[in-house]
Amino acid sequence: MSDTIAHLKRGEQATIVSFNEEQVPLKLLEMGCLPGNVVMMMESAPFQDPIYLNINGTYLAIRRETAQQIIVKRHG
Amino acid sequence: MGKSINVSLIGNPNTGKTSLFNRLTGLNQKVGNYPGITVEKKEGICKLDRSLKAHILDLPGTYSLNTSSLDESVVVETLLNKNSKDYPDVAVVVSDIENLKRNLLLFTQIKDLEIPTILVINMADRMQRKAISLDIELMEQELNTRVVLVSARKNIGVDDLKKAISEYKNLKSVPCVNASTIDPEYFETLRKAYPKQSIYKLWLVITQDVNFGKIDRNRDLEDLKSSSFAVKSESDLKKMQHKETVVRYQFINSLLTKVLNVDKSQAKDLRTRLDRVLLHKVWGYLIFFVILLLIFQAIYDWSTYPMDWIDTFFAKASSWAQTSLPEGPFTDLISEGIIPGLGGIVIFIPQIAFLFLFIAILEESGYMSRVVFLMDHIMKKFGLSGKSVVPLVSGTACAIPAVMATRNIEDWKERLITILVVPFTTCSARLPVYLIIIALVIPEQEVWWIFNMQGLTLMLLYMLGFGAAIFSAWVLNKILPIKRKAFFVMEMPAYKLPMLKNVGITVLEKTKSFVLGAGKIIMAISVILWLLASHGIGEQFTNAEEIVKEQYASQNLSEEELTNKIASQQLEHSFIGYIGKGIEPAVRPLGYDWKIGIAIVSSFAAREVFVGTLATIYSVGSDEEETIKNRMRAEVNPILGGPLFNFASGISLLLFYAFAMQCMSTLAIVKRETNSWKWPAIQFTAMTVIAYFAALAAYQILK
Ligand SMILES: Nc1nc2c(ncn2[C@@H]2O[C@H](COP(=O)(O)OP(=O)(O)OP(=O)(O)O)[C@@H](O)[C@H]2O)c(=O)[nH]1
């Protein structure tokens, strides 16, 4: 199974590989969540939901269920 | 009179659009609603030079022109409709130097609509600290437009911006990204069918409803929707929008590598360190809790001083009117109807101002998004999101500012649910009622050594209110047939010191909109209530004075006692008295008599009236608590005998007040915020029905 954003630990970085186009809102793409961009996990709330990320320089929070749709490749 | 042009301020949320708007217009602004919808519309005037004025419209913050909320669709509607009176002569796109990449997405879209566009890069004051440098000239060439560096906070570059706006005629309206590359064939046919229109505009009209339900508004391209161009399936259109986003980012990335230089090693990050603490799984919640306590303290405690002054002032004004105006019904109307009515509006101003002061500070500083982040998981379970937390908590002070605070919630369903359930939370107006009834029917007893029965009851009532709110949110989420955005994406803004000017203007605007909006309705209803309470028909009312004097002739009452007796005789036989008697059969199963009935009816104006009304009925001159309490304790149940206020009827009353929607000011503000009488009507009915049956059950079980 491949990693998703929901698998990242605090401070960990990864590159976005792909995501399910139907499940990920356009809004997220507009905020820079596009394949090839780097994502860093900043913090997560209890129960890992929501998750606070830095994607491509933009700081944003998404819910766990959305994070699970975005497949990433961990750095290092 | 000089010429006036339309300028629209457009930008991502948190780019400082509102700060810039405040800079440009000062207090020369007005806030209203877009016709038919609840989105706030901010307009203002700015003098550019001697012969040119700009009519500035601050559009809601949006990330792109692909609409997914009401706010965003307002922006698109304004930009698409050439016939609209708001259609801009110049679009000013506000961006934030630290988020330039994302901000430019919206800019490229607007530019492609072939509207003359100026790019403002705000927060220039942060460039040095963040070691950012930017080649403005090259950027102007590449984007084919004017680019102005501004700091709304430090008031830098605002005059350059004014100058750039006044030279709007020189702006070139040519697109910068060729969107048609995502499907050349499709776009070619479009171009042939509508050769005069901007191709991107056509595309926007076609895709507008994909992510968001349509709102009806006249538009010059209405026929396009039904034409053969809409044949693409929704998911095809969505894929094309995805592609479009990618194409735009490619353009932006290649632009920024040429013009922008950030020395990353220089950047110190305050954000990361602060977020470690403020979003900590333990400390984060603790800090939030302390901040809440502080806000409570302010709303509960600090605002009592100005509220007392206001109260005294209006009481004085009323008695002044009574004594110095010529006697007659008109003076009565002024002194007993209009002045107290006005007082009933003004009295809320301190609480509203305090709450919005805090909210504005929390929002300006960037902390509010952290609260949303902390609370989202819990609230999600009830069909709400983290954004409903602030209104629900403020509701414990007063539902009116709480309902107004729901404006931050973008999703309409979520916002509506929050508005509908907020009045369940125990507001300060319920407190006097709770206190007096608890004192009457709950024994002052220690339980488990440290807790006091009465205090425990009060706490339970608070929990009951909160529980009722959360539970009804859950139910409403299940039954309301409104489509919601199924996702949650929230930007986490940088921490900033709040700007005084912004905070001040927010507090002023909110307070003003309360006084002008809800004020009218509160005023009208208090005058009606006064009319009902001070007028009646028949012997018993008109001759109240003689009847009472006769009745007590032997008892040698003091002047004051006599006046009180007359007042209560009049109230009993006034219209409202008849109403009380009329509803007695309905309230008897709850354990009340007609007097409590009247108190309940008049409480529909405002709960705190309960004690005052009982005071009048029992003809206790002052509404000082001790005396009323004794008087209430002595009251006997006319049918069953025994004290009227016993455990069963007391609990029944407490429950009734916990659930019933007895506050016309809240109803008025709900009407204002939802733009229809439908929701306040539903809210009123549902809450009152719940209250009635809860009280009924309690009394019947306990009696
Ligand atoms: N450092 C700095 N901060 C600024 C500047 N302009 C605005 N801010 C801050 O940026 C934050 C957002 O400003 P707003 O004016 O509320 O932004 P907005 O774009 O209207 O945001 P929305 O109302 O959410 O759409 C506030 O904390 C402002 O104090 C600026 O020039 N420099």
Side-chain angles (χ1 to χ4, degrees), chain B residues 564-625:
Chain B
N564 288 335
K565 289 270 189 254
I566 294 169
S568 82
Q569 164 83 9
Q570 270 183 337
L571 190 65
E572 184 179 346
H573 295 282
S574 67
F575 289 119
I576 217 167
Y578 288 116
I579 295 174
K581 291 252 177 71
I583 65 163
E584 194 175 10
V587 298
R588 198 174 295 138
L590 312 188
Y592 317 150
D593 67 349
W594 71 268
K595 293 175 188 167
I596 303 182
I598 294 184
I600 288 178
V601 169
S602 55
S603 290
F604 278 101
R607 299 179 177 92
E608 60 270 38
V609 173
F610 179 79
V611 181
T613 313
L614 281 183
T616 316
I617 304 174
Y618 294 147
S619 66
V620 185
S622 72
D623 48 13
E624 240 172 77
E625 237 177 74

Side-chain angles (χ1 to χ4, degrees), chain A residues 10 21 25-27 29-32 34 43-44 46-47 49-50 52 56 58-61 63 65, chain B residues 64 66 68 72 101-102 242 249 271 275-276 279 281 285 370 373 376-377 380 489-492:
Chain A
R10 193 166 81 177
E21 290 201 15
L26 183 60
K27 172 123 301 159
L29 269 73
E30 289 163 4
M31 304 250 242
L34 293 169
E43 300 279 338
S44 69
F47 305 101
D49 180 47
Y52 171 12
N56 197 27
T58 296
Y59 294 90
L60 44 87
R63 283 184 175 161
E65 60 256 33
Chain B
S64 79
N66 307 319
S68 61
E72 292 170 343
K101 197 188 277 178
R102 174 165 46 81
H242 279 200
Y249 267 117
R271 168 203 289 269
D275 277 338
R276 274 279 127 102
L279 296 181
K281 292 188 172 79
Y285 290 90
R370 274 69 185 180
F373 182 80
D376 184 66
H377 185 78
K380 188 167 77 173
V489 177
M490 179 184 58
E491 200 190 339
M492 301 290 273

Side-chain angles (χ1 to χ4, degrees), chain B residues 617-659:
Chain B
I617 304 174
Y618 294 147
S619 66
V620 185
S622 72
D623 48 13
E624 240 172 77
E625 237 177 74
E626 263 322 297
T627 40
I628 306 175
K629 219 187 281 170
N630 292 335
R631 190 63 191 73
M632 284 167 80
R633 210 188 294 280
E635 196 69 7
V636 170
N637 189 317
I639 298 155
L640 301 172
L644 179 63
F645 291 95
N646 55 22
F647 187 67
S649 66
I651 297 291
S652 153
L653 257 181
L654 286 176
L655 287 178
F656 191 86
Y657 273 82
F659 294 135

Side-chain angles (χ1 to χ4, degrees), chain B residues 216-235:
Chain B
D216 280 309
R217 219 78 82 65
N218 36 350
R219 206 184 287 127
D220 50 351
L221 283 171
E222 203 42 67
D223 61 315
L224 191 57
K225 283 273 166 57
S226 43
S227 75
S228 55
F229 293 103
V231 291
K232 292 240 171 202
S233 77
E234 217 171 83
S235 95

Side-chain angles (χ1 to χ4, degrees), chain B residues 12-20 58 60-61 122-126 150-154 363-365 496-499 502:
Chain B
N12 288 182
N14 284 311
T15 47
K17 226 162 33 65
T18 307
S19 315
L20 186 63
D58 184 10
N122 191 24
M123 317 230 185
D125 54 300
R126 289 170 77 91
V150 164
S151 166
R153 177 178 288 253
K154 299 263 157 74
E363 223 161 72
E364 277 270 306
S365 63
K496 298 211 168 84
L497 221 58
M499 269 168 80
N502 289 350

Side-chain angles (χ1 to χ4, degrees), chain B residues 514-545:
Chain B
F514 163 73
V515 172
L516 299 182
K520 277 182 283 199
I521 303 173
I522 299 177
M523 187 77 199
I525 299 183
S526 22
V527 169
I528 292 175
L529 262 182
W530 167 80
L531 274 174
L532 290 176
S534 61
H535 289 74
I537 37 170
E539 185 76 358
Q540 293 281 348
F541 181 82
T542 37
N543 291 337
E545 199 167 338

Side-chain angles (χ1 to χ4, degrees), chain B residues 353-598:
Chain B
F354 264 126
L355 182 68
F356 280 105
L357 177 71
F358 280 102
I359 291 190
I361 291 174
L362 293 186
E363 223 161 72
E364 277 270 306
S365 63
Y367 182 69
M368 198 63 105
S369 310
R370 274 69 185 180
V371 173
V372 175
F373 182 80
L374 287 173
M375 301 303 290
D376 184 66
H377 185 78
I378 306 166
M379 303 306 283
K380 188 167 77 173
K381 299 212 159 78
F382 302 99
L384 301 172
S385 80
K387 294 182 185 164
S388 316
V389 169
V390 175
L392 282 179
V393 170
S394 352
T396 23
C398 176
I400 296 161
V403 169
M404 286 162 75
T406 60
R407 292 218 181 133
N408 303 335
I409 304 174
E410 292 112 17
D411 183 68
W412 168 239
K413 181 171 183 181
E414 207 176 291
R415 177 164 170 218
L416 181 65
I417 293 180
T418 312
I419 291 177
L420 292 178
V421 305
V422 145
F424 275 125
T425 52
T426 305
C427 68
S428 51
R430 284 183 174 100
L431 212 53
V433 184
Y434 284 177
L435 291 178
I436 200 161
I437 293 175
I438 287 178
L440 277 175
V441 304
I442 307 287
E444 215 182 330
Q445 210 175 62
E446 307 256 303
V447 273
W448 304 315
W449 302 289
I450 43 168
F451 297 110
N452 170 306
M453 245 341 215
Q454 297 191 334
L456 222 54
T457 312
L458 189 61
M459 202 184 82
L460 278 178
L461 283 166
Y462 268 87
M463 281 161 58
L464 184 70
F466 205 72
I470 293 281
F471 178 73
S472 21
W474 182 78
V475 172
L476 284 170
N477 183 43
K478 290 261 177 302
I479 61 173
L480 279 182
I482 302 175
K483 220 179 104 188
R484 66 152 72 230
K485 285 192 295 185
F487 58 87
F488 169 93
V489 177
M490 179 184 58
E491 200 190 339
M492 301 290 273
Y495 288 106
K496 298 211 168 84
L497 221 58
M499 269 168 80
L500 264 171
K501 187 172 177 146
N502 289 350
V503 174
I505 289 182
T506 307
V507 172
L508 212 74
E509 278 306 326
K510 298 279 177 187
T511 315
K512 206 169 85 186
S513 80
F514 163 73
V515 172
L516 299 182
K520 277 182 283 199
I521 303 173
I522 299 177
M523 187 77 199
I525 299 183
S526 22
V527 169
I528 292 175
L529 262 182
W530 167 80
L531 274 174
L532 290 176
S534 61
H535 289 74
I537 37 170
E539 185 76 358
Q540 293 281 348
F541 181 82
T542 37
N543 291 337
E545 199 167 338
E546 278 96 85
I547 293 172
V548 170
K549 275 190 182 145
E550 212 167 287
Q551 206 174 345
Y552 294 97
S554 55
Q555 292 185 17
N556 221 346
L557 292 178
S558 74
E559 184 76 19
E560 201 191 323
E561 281 172 305
L562 205 61
T563 328
N564 288 335
K565 289 270 189 254
I566 294 169
S568 82
Q569 164 83 9
Q570 270 183 337
L571 190 65
E572 184 179 346
H573 295 282
S574 67
F575 289 119
I576 217 167
Y578 288 116
I579 295 174
K581 291 252 177 71
I583 65 163
E584 194 175 10
V587 298
R588 198 174 295 138
L590 312 188
Y592 317 150
D593 67 349
W594 71 268
K595 293 175 188 167
I596 303 182
I598 294 184

